[in-house]
Amino acid sequence: MSVDELTDLLRASSAVVAFSGAGISTESGIPDFRSPGGVWTRYDPRDLTFDRYVDDVEVRTTTWAMRRELFGADPKPNAAHRALADLQTAGCLHALITQNIDGLHTDAGCRDVIEVHGTAREVGCIGAAPRGGRPDGCGWREHTSWAFEAIDAGTDDPRCPGCGGLVKSATISFGQQLDPSVLEAAAEATATGDLFITIGSSLQVHPAAGLPELAVREGVPLVIVNDEATPFDGVADLVVRGRAGEVLGPAVTAALA
Ligand code: NAD
């Protein structure tokens, strides 16, 4: 029933803003933080803060192992990622904003994805680590496979080939600033769309919670697709409780038919 309502809303909209969280990728085999078992029972990203990464070679080594475990199985986009790509191809997607770092929206064929937490697909130089200060990189960036190849060749702690600085995945760690220009682009898109759909996000922390809040303030209809309740369910125009691929796939197919 509510999938039909989502179809109707999609049909009536020409500037959809989609906002995805970790839940859109669980059907691709990447666990969110709440999934029982799996990788997050062994690695707590809240311990792997930016400052600890800079200070401690063991944290860097652990972080590389975690990245390889999460993305080494070569996950593929699922029906929800593909549905958003279809919506974009049809010219109905105003913006795609994601908290995810897995790159699966791009793999599904989406362009111009606004990645508020960066991407695990690339690594970059974060420079040397001055005592008591924050390092600053030289701008070098590479595909993440570069780091795994360096580790396989015997380095525990890959260093920037340009300046010798520390190398980190191009993601935002706990304790690291989000890029204000990326956040601005996300807010601008949210305020100028005609439908805002959150998919697979618990909407519990900022900036995740700030965007649906902004949509509501701007009078943009809010749809929530999630398999559990969120704090925004009471103010949403439509809540579809279910799995992302099973909801978005048929809704988008029907809306574009
Ligand atoms: P989150 O706060 O975005 O919550 C995920 C939500 O999705 C939960 O409410 C969960 O019940 C729901 N969910 C899980 N599978 C679903 C499905 N198939 N269909 C519909 N809903 C589903 O994410 P989080 O796990 O708390 O992570 C917080 C931060 O860590 C975010 O930035 C997140 O993107 C990032 N993270 C990213 C990845 C990734 O890139 N794939 C994986 C884990 C965590």
Side-chain angles (χ1 to χ4, degrees):
M1 178 60 188
S2 40
V3 174
D4 294 342
E5 288 175 62
L6 176 56
T7 302
D8 290 343
L9 279 172
L10 286 168
R11 279 199 186 114
S13 309
S14 57
V16 175
V17 177
F19 177 56
S20 64
I24 200 171
S25 294
T26 56
E27 287 159 77
S28 296
I30 304 175
D32 62 12
F33 290 154
R34 288 161 190 79
S35 303
V39 61
W40 302 121
T41 55
R42 273 165 290 123
Y43 304 100
D44 187 341
R46 284 159 294 196
D47 289 339
L48 306 174
T49 62
F50 185 76
D51 287 344
R52 292 199 62 217
Y53 188 92
V54 168
D55 287 344
D56 188 346
V57 64
E58 266 184 41
V59 172
R60 296 198 286 277
T61 310
T62 305
T63 305
W64 290 121
M66 173 192 75
R67 295 258 174 257
R68 203 195 283 257
E69 194 170 330
L70 264 180
F71 301 113
D74 196 19
K76 300 281 184 266
N78 62 52
H81 298 105
R82 288 194 298 273
L84 294 176
D86 290 346
L87 212 53
Q88 189 175 52
T89 303
C92 306
L93 194 68
H94 181 53
L96 171 53
I97 307 164
T98 189
Q99 300 169 81
N100 293 347
I101 56 171
D102 56 35
L104 290 183
H105 286 301
T106 304
D107 287 352
C110 278
R111 301 171 310 280
D112 306 322
V113 184
I114 301 175
E115 295 174 308
V116 291
H117 291 165
T119 177
R121 292 293 175 84
E122 288 182 23
V123 296
C125 174
I126 57 167
R131 258 184 199 290
R134 288 232 157 177
D136 195 12
C138 70
W140 174 85
R141 260 172 104 110
E142 249 304 345
H143 193 273
T144 299
S145 56
W146 176 92
F148 294 146
E149 281 161 22
I151 291 164
D152 288 343
T155 325
D156 277 351
D157 189 23
R159 294 300 177 117
C160 172
C163 72
L166 299 176
V167 172
K168 182 182 169 298
S169 104
T171 54
I172 308 288
S173 300
F174 280 87
Q176 198 177 359
Q177 287 284 331
L178 273 70
D179 182 334
S181 66
V182 176
L183 274 184
E184 226 168 83
E188 162 75 18
T190 300
T192 51
D194 64 5
L195 183 68
F196 188 90
I197 309 181
T198 82
I199 308 134
S201 179
S202 59
L203 303 176
Q204 280 172 8
V205 285
H206 279 79
L211 294 173
E213 224 166 67
L214 177 64
V216 170
R217 238 182 7 253
E218 294 288 329
V220 179
L222 173 65
V223 175
I224 295 174
V225 178
N226 208 51
D227 69 359
E228 64 171 11
T230 80
F232 285 85
D233 289 3
V235 293
D237 295 82
L238 176 67
V239 176
V240 189
R241 194 69 58 77
R243 285 162 65 80
E246 291 167 13
V247 171
L248 269 193
V252 168
T253 302
L256 296 180

